[in-house]
Amino acid sequence: MKTYFSPAKINLYLKIVSKRLDGYHDLSTLMQTISLGDFLHIELAHSDSLTCTNSMVPTDSTNLILKALNLFRSKTHLTFNFKVHLEKNIPMQAGLGGGSSNAATILWACNELTQSNIPVNQLLEWSAEIGSDIPFFFSQGTAHCSGRGEFVKALPHLDKKKVWIVKPKVSLSTPSVFQNFNLEENLINNDEQWGVNDLEKAAFKLEPSLFKLKNRLVEAGFDTVMMTGSGSSFYCLGDCSIQNDQELLIYSAFFINRHHDQWY
Ligand code: C5P
């Protein structure tokens, strides 16, 4: 059995560039992997199976782990199966890319455990077929992503900065946040700077309590407070005096990067 770490990501900024005819949005975003993550325990088996420590995670064919396994097999025409146990630490529907990270991790593991030597750029390209956030994880953890998310430009690693992740009880579904996004309301905002996320307004309309939470975090003294991805969690930089709260999950993490020939 082999264990792989599967990191969460945050969007340090996220700008929506246009709404596309296929229903997706072109975006421009700076993404970073962090030390909060899941663990995938994987072994070769006679048939596929997926179990998870969190009973809320679907373990049927809708799970991106099983989609990624099928993708790798169909691209390579290899026949093998995996028994996968997912130790879930990344909150779901939080904008932290947990499912996407799991899918990227499985593709890397497939390549390694079957000694297929598929180039990482090929894995990145294949992964875009099953999810827009997956290609990013094939960078080394700091990258600018554009298009749907599939154009990944690797950037120099940032300092190993400390970051707080604040996850409220409420969760948000990615499609509904994107559907609520109004490009006209955001056109005047051309900022591509840390702390600016065009999807916040849409998320706050769906869930006004998130607006209150953002203000509370700003008032607590953080330097930067921004919703990550399509929410519902926030990343916060700097020091603060936020109290533990039954309504919030608060994680202390730091930026991580991977070595070019190793997984995270
Ligand atoms: O690609 P993925 O399945 O992760 O996307 C989920 C949903 O999020 C899409 O169906 C779409 O509604 C929305 N989305 C989008 N623009 C993107 C990425 C996702 O509109 N760049």
Side-chain angles (χ1 to χ4, degrees):
M1 178 179 330
K2 202 158 172 193
T3 297
Y4 291 84
F5 184 62
S6 178
K9 62 82 179 161
I10 53 174
N11 301 77
L12 293 170
Y13 69 75
L14 193 161
K15 173 105 205 108
I16 305 285
V17 177
S18 61
K19 188 170 166 57
R20 301 162 29 146
L21 293 172
D22 62 5
Y24 280 87
H25 294 76
D26 279 322
L27 39 85
S28 168
T29 182
L30 177 60
M31 291 168 82
Q32 174 65 49
T33 41
I34 60 171
S35 58
L36 168 64
D38 301 335
F39 290 94
L40 288 170
H41 307 282
I42 304 171
E43 58 190 311
L44 285 162
H46 292 297
S47 59
D48 288 342
S49 65
L50 174 61
T51 51
C52 184
T53 48
N54 181 338
S55 61
M56 300 301 284
V57 175
T59 49
D60 62 5
S61 60
T62 60
N63 190 299
L64 277 170
I65 290 177
L66 296 178
K67 287 189 184 176
L69 254 177
N70 286 329
L71 178 76
F72 189 87
R73 280 190 295 242
S74 77
K75 296 290 185 188
T76 57
H77 305 291
L78 290 172
T79 48
F80 65 92
N81 298 96
F82 275 168
K83 180 177 167 186
V84 183
H85 180 62
L86 169 59
E87 222 181 299
K88 189 44 88 189
N89 300 315
I90 306 173
M92 291 181 289
Q93 297 201 305
L96 294 166
S100 302
S101 172
N102 295 167
T105 304
I106 278 287
L107 289 173
W108 182 278
C110 285
N111 202 23
E112 198 166 77
L113 298 177
T114 63
Q115 299 178 336
S116 295
N117 287 320
I118 310 286
V120 72
N121 276 339
Q122 182 69 84
L123 297 176
L124 182 157
E125 202 182 306
W126 290 347
S127 73
E129 293 180 23
I130 55 170
S132 306
D133 271 351
I134 309 173
F136 158 71
F137 290 94
F138 292 102
S139 71
Q140 287 173 40
T142 307
H144 178 265
C145 299
S146 57
R148 247 189 330 121
E150 80 278 34
F151 299 120
V152 180
K153 184 175 170 258
L155 294 174
H157 302 177
L158 300 165
D159 289 341
K160 198 175 163 185
K161 214 180 238 308
K162 184 170 177 180
V163 60
W164 296 92
I165 303 297
V166 179
K167 166 72 176 65
K169 270 205 170 136
V170 58
S171 297
L172 287 175
S173 107
T174 301
S176 55
V177 175
F178 273 102
Q179 271 158 28
N180 242 273
F181 173 77
N182 183 338
L183 189 61
E184 283 70 43
E185 282 178 9
N186 283 269
L187 274 179
I188 34 166
N189 160 24
N190 284 317
D191 287 351
E192 287 197 349
Q193 67 181 49
W194 288 33
V196 179
N197 181 350
D198 282 354
L199 290 175
E200 277 188 350
K201 223 180 252 179
F204 294 169
K205 256 191 259 167
L206 280 173
E207 198 49 67
S209 66
L210 293 178
F211 179 65
K212 286 195 193 132
L213 174 58
K214 177 165 179 164
N215 286 337
R216 188 177 144 201
L217 295 171
V218 171
E219 278 161 21
F222 285 116
D223 300 330
T224 303
V225 177
M226 189 192 103
M227 192 181 81
T228 172
S230 56
S232 60
S233 61
F234 289 84
Y235 85 83
C236 309
L237 300 174
D239 288 322
C240 80
S241 55
I242 187 88
Q243 303 292 324
N244 259 330
D245 179 321
Q246 287 196 334
E247 298 296 309
L248 300 176
L249 290 170
I250 302 175
Y251 304 88
S252 160
F254 50 88
F255 292 6
I256 59 162
N257 291 96
R258 68 174 182 87
H259 192 262
H260 76 279
D261 59 359
Q262 281 168 16
W263 199 239
Y264 293 91

